[in-house]
Amino acid sequence: MPKILEVENLNVSFHTYAGEVKAVRGVDFELEAGETLAIVGESGCGKTVTSKAIMRLLPEPMPAEIKKCSKIIFNNKNILDMNNKELMHLRGAEIAMIFQDPMTSLNPTMTVGKQIAESLIIHKNMKKDEAFKEAVNMLKLVNIPNAEQRAKQYPHEFSGGMRQRAMIAIALACNPKILIADEPTTALDVTIQAQIMDLIGELKEKLNTAVILITHDLGVVADTADRIQVMYAGKVIERGSVEQIFKNPKHPYTWALLQSVPRVTEGNKQELYSLPGTPPDLVSPPKGCAFSARCEYCMNVCLEEEPEVTKISGGHTVSCWLQHENAPKVEVPIGISEGVQ
């Protein structure tokens, strides 16, 4: 499959009163046409900052700064070199984003139909009537009943799940090549979560859109993603296919994420796992492995040197000193290799 996006050595900092926060530190990844790449990790690991950097939605040059060494290549052009006119065309037409909270992302003073039609008028040069008809079709596509009537309503008249569907309709209106979904199921109940994820999957197949799915919940990506990359403290610490990450995880942080997913196992009444400690302060990142302070397998080398990237098999790589040939052998915690039930 052709690569449509290449992110190389992405470094993003925020200049604050406390100092320079190094939010994203040397992130690399590729995205192929029609695939779903999941970026997972707990809050503050750099997932959303990475996605907003791709869209150039960060407040640059202050307080946010994308370092000059960074490259974001789309259609053989570096997004970081684009001018405002090029970015206007890119956003919505080529790369679209579903934001985390639809209630604060939708305009409360405009009907939902007008908000969908707006991007069609800008990017497709449609007339207002034609754009509104297409907006109604988009609402039908995302399974909103009574689409023509709903298109004339305001966001506050929609339920949480319907607002999220409206956001998806806006994002897909111009048939973008890449859809970035930033925590698309946050604050939705589990039934609606499943419907939204199924909907994104169906639309991806219909429109051959590549998806970057950002989430803290590995359970959400189990049935939807093709590849997963795990982020911690602004870095990618493990990456691989869904099967590789779920069946053969290698990083202790990935183990912790998998352990924190509830399992529907008969007779299992164990307390849900919670990872102790907090992420490091990225104003002054730790000298060695960023996860060392929270890792029960921490060795002296973890405190002094950043771990090397180790290739496990295929596209499965991990940055952890436990994979070094001289490291002690550690058993994977019980139940992790069984995957999420």
Side-chain angles (χ1 to χ4, degrees), residues 7-24:
V7 176
E8 301 174 12
N9 196 26
L10 180 62
N11 285 266
V12 182
S13 289
F14 289 90
H15 298 279
T16 71
Y17 69 91
E20 182 183 348
V21 179
K22 300 175 181 69
V24 175

Side-chain angles (χ1 to χ4, degrees), residues 224-289:
T224 55
D226 299 304
R227 290 189 296 123
I228 296 174
Q229 61 182 29
V230 181
M231 285 189 71
Y232 185 79
K235 287 178 172 284
V236 177
I237 58 170
E238 186 165 8
R239 72 179 87 222
S241 68
V242 170
E243 185 174 358
Q244 288 167 336
I245 297 298
F246 277 93
K247 299 294 185 183
N248 188 31
K250 293 296 183 181
H251 200 287
Y253 181 64
T254 310
W255 298 346
L257 290 179
L258 287 167
Q259 283 178 294
S260 67
V261 178
R263 284 170 167 74
V264 186
T265 306
E266 188 177 348
N268 187 352
K269 295 182 180 179
Q270 292 182 342
E271 185 178 341
L272 189 62
Y273 177 81
S274 176
L275 177 63
T278 56
D281 181 1
L282 293 182
V283 171
S284 53
K287 184 179 177 183
C289 174

Side-chain angles (χ1 to χ4, degrees), residues 83-111:
N83 57 37
N84 287 336
K85 187 176 179 180
E86 290 172 313
L87 288 173
M88 280 286 289
H89 173 73
L90 177 83
R91 297 172 186 145
E94 302 285 355
I95 304 176
M97 190 166 183
I98 304 170
F99 293 95
Q100 187 166 347
D101 183 2
M103 195 60 198
T104 56
S105 302
L106 292 168
N107 188 332
T109 67
M110 290 175 64
T111 62

Side-chain angles (χ1 to χ4, degrees), residues 6 29 64 75 82 88 90 142 144 187 202 253 305 312 322:
E6 295 178 70
F29 66 88
N75 280 350
M82 289 183 177
M88 280 286 289
L90 177 83
V142 296
I144 288 184
E202 288 169 14
Y253 181 64
E305 299 286 342
I312 306 301
L322 287 176

